[in-house]
Amino acid sequence: MIYRSGQRVLVQGITGKQGTFWAQKMMETGTKVVAGVNPKRAGETHLGVPVYGTAVEATKSTPCDVSVIFVPPVLARDAIVDAIDAGIATVVVLTEHIPAQHVLEIHARAKRAGCRIVGPNTAGIVTPGEGFVGIMPGHNPNIFQPGHVGVISRSGSLGTLICLNLTRAKLGQSAFIGIGGDPMIGTTTRDALEALDRDDRTHAIAMVGEIGGTMEEAAAEYAAGMKKPIAAFIAGRSSPPDKKMGHAGAIVTGGKGGYASKREALERAGVKVVDTPHEIALALADVYA
């Protein structure tokens, strides 16, 4: 789930407006986009790479390590299953509002195939200095700079703000992992935390959580045994119970998934929980000092 230089990327939906724009930006930062998929334009060349009718056809000619999905909700299930069937190891699913029954099927098929799903409703993954996959502004040097702080976020906008603050603090990022804001996602906060814990380039971690679900509590269990320092911000502190927020997964019922529960679990694990996003960079700057 951490993008590495040289990994070959397939863009499903490459000829659409968003697919074209972001594929071009990915390529400008060094991301190795090797092919695209659009069943209606198979056989063409777009942005200098071949376009195929399916991911299965694409990988027969061009091996791919990562696929990114620029496909609308009604067609997303078929596109993701196509990528899984093609044997692609990581599928970055940007699409939101995919029907729940389709999401369940996707995760089951991915698990059987040993495929890593990032998302749905993710903003993508970024490794400054190497490339990015998705719709994060990985091409903007004011936001992303190579460094040693790994960033985990459900939210693309909050993740962008954290990365901006880290860059301004001259800390930079080793990797950004956008796990996605849907209720059923393929990569959890704990999964991302474990990946960054194993990553030699990551010396500290910034975690951006939200109310809803229990991912942060599960991550806290793992964080308790880590040596790398972690600073976290939990969005939704003032949200009333049972209030649905911007992400489909950010809904709290009773005491479970609430702000107090998440903060208590993280602080008990030794995580520095801050009150505003700006304080994450300050907290981690103290560690480096």
Side-chain angles (χ1 to χ4, degrees), residues 25-38:
K25 292 300 181 185
M26 286 186 254
M27 294 164 81
E28 288 173 3
T29 62
T31 306
K32 193 173 182 180
V33 176
V34 295
V37 172
N38 182 335

Side-chain angles (χ1 to χ4, degrees), residues 7-11 31-36 48-50 52 62-65:
Q7 287 185 325
R8 297 156 296 192
V9 177
L10 174 70
V11 180
T31 306
K32 193 173 182 180
V33 176
V34 295
V49 300
Y52 296 89
T62 311
C64 300
D65 305 296

